[in-house]
Amino acid sequence: KAGVTQTPRYLIKTRGQQVTLSCSPISGHRSVSWYQQTPGQGLQFLFEYFSETQRNKGNFPGRFSGRQFSNSRSEMNVSTLELGDSALYLCASSLGQLGGKLFFGSGTQLSVL
Amino acid sequence: QKEVEQDPGPLSVPEGAIVSLNCTYSNSAFQYFMWYRQYSRKGPELLMYTYSSGNKEDGRFTAQVDKSSKYISLFIRDSQPSDSATYLCAMYNAGGTSYGKLTFGQGTILTVHP
């Protein structure tokens, strides 16, 4: 069974630009969660989608948004990039029940210059 | 104060040693506990998943949960150089609408030297 696939692996952007990251979950998984990982803050939850609906959201500004498609693939968008948005962005897929196991992809390393 | 506290190390041990990694937490609502291993430039890999207090064993790994003390541990027996990675504890509040939201510790950097 293929794992969670994230594209692209690396991105370099400049301040003020916007970026879209993509995530394909494990086949059969309908939930996709997004996390930001930085050396200072560690792993922080951004949001979770299930059957194209956002069910949960973390404490990030509105510049961070996401969506999920009918095939469970998900995209995350960051608008008006800031230097502090440089991070590893991880998505995780699961079956979607509370307390369920989360399986992570390898992430997208975003550098904002 | 953070909800989950984990000593970042670094921790350096010789090959074959028993490694003990620990996390404490303050939120009694955490019901599910996980340990992830993360290699450099990779995503976290799920190692252990537990719900109840007590021990769970999987090969060289043992996860221990003490809900009364709000303390979880991961033991690695016969450690190998390939175990060198960052180990992250993670917890899940299974109440309300906490879908997809794990609360992570800061991670412990482990090096096993030959």
Side-chain angles (χ1 to χ4, degrees):
Chain A
K1 207 179 219 184
V4 178
T5 303
Q6 289 189 248
T7 56
R9 284 285 283 126
Y10 302 94
L11 265 178
I12 299 175
K13 293 286 186 180
T14 56
R15 277 184 301 173
Q17 287 186 310
Q18 75 165 21
V19 67
T20 299
L21 313 181
S22 181
C23 173
S24 292
I26 292 169
S27 178
H29 285 190
R30 296 168 63 190
S31 168
V32 173
S33 302
W34 288 90
Y35 286 79
Q36 181 195 65
Q37 185 175 29
T38 60
Q41 298 298 317
L43 275 137
Q44 293 186 290
F45 172 76
L46 283 154
F47 30 66
E48 187 262 6
Y49 287 87
F50 180 85
S51 292
E52 302 179 67
T53 300
Q54 184 183 89
R55 295 192 300 184
N56 198 8
K57 188 177 187 305
N59 296 323
F60 278 81
R63 300 185 296 108
F64 292 82
S65 63
R67 59 177 175 167
Q68 187 180 35
F69 302 96
S70 58
N71 61 358
S72 295
R73 191 177 69 84
S74 177
E75 287 182 347
M76 189 192 108
N77 185 76
V78 188
S79 63
T80 319
L81 283 166
E82 300 177 0
L83 295 179
D85 296 333
S86 295
L88 180 65
Y89 290 88
L90 294 157
C91 86
S93 81
S94 75
L95 292 171
Q97 74 274 37
L98 283 171
K101 297 177 184 179
L102 266 63
F103 299 92
F104 284 85
S106 290
T108 294
Q109 183 67 55
L110 172 65
S111 297
V112 182
L113 306 178
Chain B
Q1 186 186 0
K2 294 185 177 182
E3 285 188 290
V4 180
E5 298 279 358
Q6 182 177 7
D7 186 342
L11 186 61
S12 181
V13 301
E15 184 175 353
I18 296 175
V19 176
S20 172
L21 304 166
N22 311 293
C23 288
T24 58
Y25 61 97
S26 57
N27 189 344
S28 299
F30 288 137
Q31 295 294 321
Y32 298 86
F33 305 91
M34 279 148 266
W35 285 95
Y36 285 86
R37 176 175 63 194
Q38 186 174 24
Y39 292 114
S40 180
R41 302 182 188 280
K42 296 288 188 182
E45 171 194 357
L46 181 62
L47 282 177
M48 300 292 284
Y49 172 90
T50 57
Y51 170 69
S52 57
S53 285
N55 293 353
K56 181 177 180 180
E57 191 173 316
D58 184 0
R60 296 185 296 112
F61 298 93
T62 299
Q64 195 172 77
V65 174
D66 183 348
K67 288 186 179 180
S68 62
S69 301
K70 298 189 180 67
Y71 188 88
I72 69 170
S73 299
L74 177 70
F75 298 96
I76 307 174
R77 291 183 299 281
D78 187 26
S79 56
Q80 302 295 310
S82 58
D83 294 328
S84 299
T86 298
Y87 288 80
L88 297 146
C89 64
M91 306 182 187
Y92 216 150
N93 177 354
T97 57
S98 299
Y99 295 104
K101 183 182 179 182
L102 287 171
T103 301
F104 282 86
Q106 280 294 100
T108 299
I109 300 170
L110 171 68
T111 301
V112 181
H113 51 86

